[in-house]
Amino acid sequence: MHAATQTKPAILFVCLGNICRSPMAEGAMRDAARKAGLDIIVASAGTANYHIGNAPDPRAIATARAHGVDIGGLIGRQLSENDFFTFTHIIALDKANIAGIKARAPRQGKAQVELLLDVLNHRKGEAVPDPYYGDDADFEACWNTIAEAVDALVARFVASERNAA
Ligand code: 4NP
């Protein structure tokens, strides 16, 4: 395929509340893509409506900041039917999120729905545990897992761009 006719990858990370895991994934992915020179769209959403309009959890903001990434300006929103047409990939942080995503999926939805840790051969099928009821160490572990996974995702998109060129 000619590069000009390719669809630019648009990745939506989805967790439950969109204040802990998926905003960290959005920030980590945007940072990793920028460093790799990969031109993609990145966003995040929650399956639930609890935190619409809210900033990420202060612990998520602090953890991202400690890793050089600013997610303080992100705003919580809920997954919408439109997302299944405007994003090429909807990436869930855990399997309950996959169920929540499928429950909201319109019949004609085009986005490919995946589990984030399926990108790591040694962690296929695993969840990124919800740190919301945990402590700072849980947020740090969460960030590190997400960072490893988004690095692998970026490598996958870079490889597929190269193959399509
Ligand atoms: P997240 O974490 O899905 O990683 O954003 C949660 C945040 C808030 C709630 C649950 C999970 N909550 O129940 O309010």
Side-chain angles (χ1 to χ4, degrees):
M1 197 197 286
H2 189 277
T5 63
Q6 262 180 262
T7 309
K8 177 158 142 176
I11 295 111
L12 183 69
F13 291 102
V14 172
C15 62
L16 178 61
N18 193 212
I19 57 165
C20 297
R21 293 166 293 172
S22 62
M24 289 198 285
E26 178 181 348
M29 183 77 178
R30 189 169 289 124
D31 187 55
R34 183 182 51 78
K35 286 174 177 159
L38 178 68
D39 183 20
I40 54 171
I41 292 162
V42 189
S44 65
T47 57
N49 61 5
Y50 316 140
H51 297 286
I52 294 171
N54 293 354
D57 186 289
R59 297 165 297 175
I61 295 174
T63 303
R65 187 182 299 123
H67 291 273
V69 177
D70 179 11
I71 61 168
L74 300 184
I75 295 169
R77 73 167 178 90
Q78 189 175 24
L79 178 67
S80 75
E81 289 206 353
N82 219 25
D83 291 326
F84 292 83
F85 299 96
T86 54
F87 289 90
T88 56
H89 297 76
I90 296 180
I91 302 188
L93 277 288
D94 68 29
K95 280 192 177 158
N97 305 146
I98 296 255
I101 291 164
K102 294 209 162 142
R104 302 186 75 80
R107 208 181 285 273
Q108 305 295 329
K110 297 276 186 286
Q112 185 178 320
V113 178
E114 303 178 57
L115 183 69
L116 178 62
L117 290 188
D118 278 355
V119 73
L120 296 175
N121 282 332
H122 60 292
R123 302 204 58 179
K124 276 189 194 304
E126 286 186 38
V128 176
D130 188 349
Y132 185 61
Y133 295 105
D135 58 20
D136 290 349
D138 295 307
F139 276 83
E140 178 65 15
C142 187
W143 177 274
N144 288 329
T145 298
I146 286 169
E148 185 184 0
V150 301
D151 279 350
L153 260 186
V154 165
R156 195 182 85 185
F157 282 114
V158 167
S160 69
E161 263 193 357
R162 202 172 288 134
N163 290 335

